[in-house]
Amino acid sequence: MQKPLTFLSSLALAAAVALPVAAQDEPGVDTVVATVNDTEITLGHMIVARATLPQQYQQLPDEVLFKGILDQLVQQTALADSFSGELPPRVTLSIENETRSLTAGEAVEGIMAQEVSEEDLKAAYDAQYAEAEPSQEFNASHILVETEEEAKAIKEELDGGADFAEVAREKSTGPSGPGGGSLGWFGPGMMVPEFEEAVASMEVDGISDPIETQFGWHVIKLNETRTSEAPELDEVREELETQIRQTKVQEAIEDLTEKADVDRSAAEGIDPTVLKNTEWLN
């Protein structure tokens, strides 16, 4: 299989001999920047090529990219013109797949661009938040060690008046150790069950007995608790709009597929391993 041309050589050369771009009156997507034999290369072709460059090339100066991309497109066109005979299946099928994918993507973009009504937003908000029960959130710290014996010794030290944060910085093996063991705020489902159950049963400023989880042995201090309330609609408007649009896209895909005249019978009985037969594409 032939290897595609890369931008590396063209861009490296362009960086060394970059020339200013000639000014044009109101250039646009159809502005012709070069011809190769009878084939026109437009600014639109160059813009698309630049948009698909790897990130490291995107950072190059505009004048370098302009010449490098133009050189690349000229070279590709000259090479394409030199090709004779029929294109192999791997090329024609790739073109068909890419055309299908890009066209479907435009259909999706059209659906995503549709306005989301206030009625839809309110309905989505009510469905997600209106009847949601306020949940308890916790702010806790912990000291994590490998063995129960270590955890018991730490508990005795803390009961004797040692500073929790200082002991955590000295002895905790967890990533929160350097921060005094602080875990910040968390709600239901954010911690492993054993840890969450222990915290939920504690009083503020209380220190737990050693608790075992899959990570090791914990000694926990509960710093604060609070009740989380449902956010205001404007706080989650953008998130809900995205959810609504994604739902509409999925509904449209299912509806269009259901209405389409689809016949999959020809695929029945075919061994799925045939998809590995890339030699068919030569």
Side-chain angles (χ1 to χ4, degrees):
M1 184 179 294
Q2 291 178 329
K3 294 183 179 179
L5 291 176
T6 69
F7 283 88
L8 185 57
S9 57
S10 294
L11 291 177
L13 178 61
V17 296
L19 299 174
V21 180
Q24 297 188 35
D25 294 333
E26 297 183 3
V29 70
D30 294 324
T31 299
V32 176
V33 290
T35 57
V36 180
N37 299 325
D38 294 325
T39 302
E40 294 181 340
I41 298 172
T42 68
L43 277 179
H45 293 125
M46 296 183 69
I47 292 168
V48 170
R50 187 192 190 286
T52 57
L53 282 175
Q55 189 60 37
Q56 64 266 33
Y57 291 128
Q58 298 273 5
Q59 310 304 318
L60 290 171
D62 290 337
E63 62 271 17
V64 172
L65 282 174
F66 191 97
K67 188 175 188 308
I69 290 170
L70 185 54
D71 286 348
Q72 182 77 7
L73 294 178
V74 167
Q75 292 166 7
Q76 288 177 339
T77 306
L79 277 170
D81 284 351
S82 74
F83 180 82
S84 59
E86 293 187 5
L87 290 171
R90 70 173 180 275
V91 176
T92 55
L93 293 171
S94 294
I95 293 171
E96 290 173 11
N97 274 350
E98 189 69 10
T99 300
R100 181 186 299 113
S101 175
L102 291 172
T103 306
E106 286 301 300
V108 168
E109 287 297 320
I111 300 169
M112 291 289 286
Q114 293 175 7
E115 285 289 327
V116 175
S117 69
E118 284 296 315
E119 290 78 10
D120 283 348
L121 270 173
K122 185 66 166 58
Y125 176 84
D126 289 344
Q128 191 161 335
Y129 297 107
E131 297 184 9
E133 293 291 332
S135 62
Q136 191 81 351
E137 294 184 333
F138 307 95
N139 184 308
S141 302
H142 79 142
I143 299 170
L144 176 65
V145 291
E146 293 183 0
T147 68
E148 185 178 12
E149 289 72 22
E150 290 175 284
K152 286 180 176 179
I154 286 171
K155 177 65 162 68
E156 290 179 9
E157 189 176 349
L158 295 171
D159 288 344
D163 181 76
F164 192 97
E166 288 299 324
V167 176
R169 278 189 279 269
E170 180 184 348
K171 298 183 177 179
S172 181
T173 62
S176 64
S182 176
L183 296 169
W185 288 99
F186 56 90
M190 296 178 65
M191 297 292 177
V192 292
E194 302 91 340
F195 192 99
E196 185 175 313
E197 290 170 10
V199 170
S201 66
M202 294 174 62
E203 299 289 335
V204 173
D205 291 329
I207 296 176
S208 74
D209 290 326
I211 304 294
E212 185 181 19
T213 73
Q214 66 198 68
F215 301 106
W217 287 86
H218 310 254
V219 177
I220 307 166
K221 179 182 179 182
L222 179 59
N223 302 314
E224 297 178 77
T225 65
R226 68 185 181 190
T227 301
S228 66
E229 302 290 342
E232 296 294 327
L233 174 57
D234 283 342
E235 295 179 53
V236 290
R237 177 179 294 272
E238 190 173 321
E239 172 189 331
L240 291 175
E241 285 182 348
T242 300
Q243 291 176 6
I244 292 168
R245 288 190 171 102
Q246 289 173 341
T247 299
K248 288 184 181 295
V249 167
Q250 190 57 42
E251 289 174 349
I253 292 172
E254 292 173 0
D255 181 59
L256 289 167
T257 304
E258 185 177 343
K259 290 178 179 177
D261 184 10
V262 179
D263 180 4
R264 303 174 188 257
S265 60
E268 295 176 5
I270 293 179
D271 183 352
T273 61
V274 299
L275 294 183
K276 300 176 181 177
N277 292 347
T278 54
E279 67 274 10
W280 292 357
L281 302 179
N282 296 327

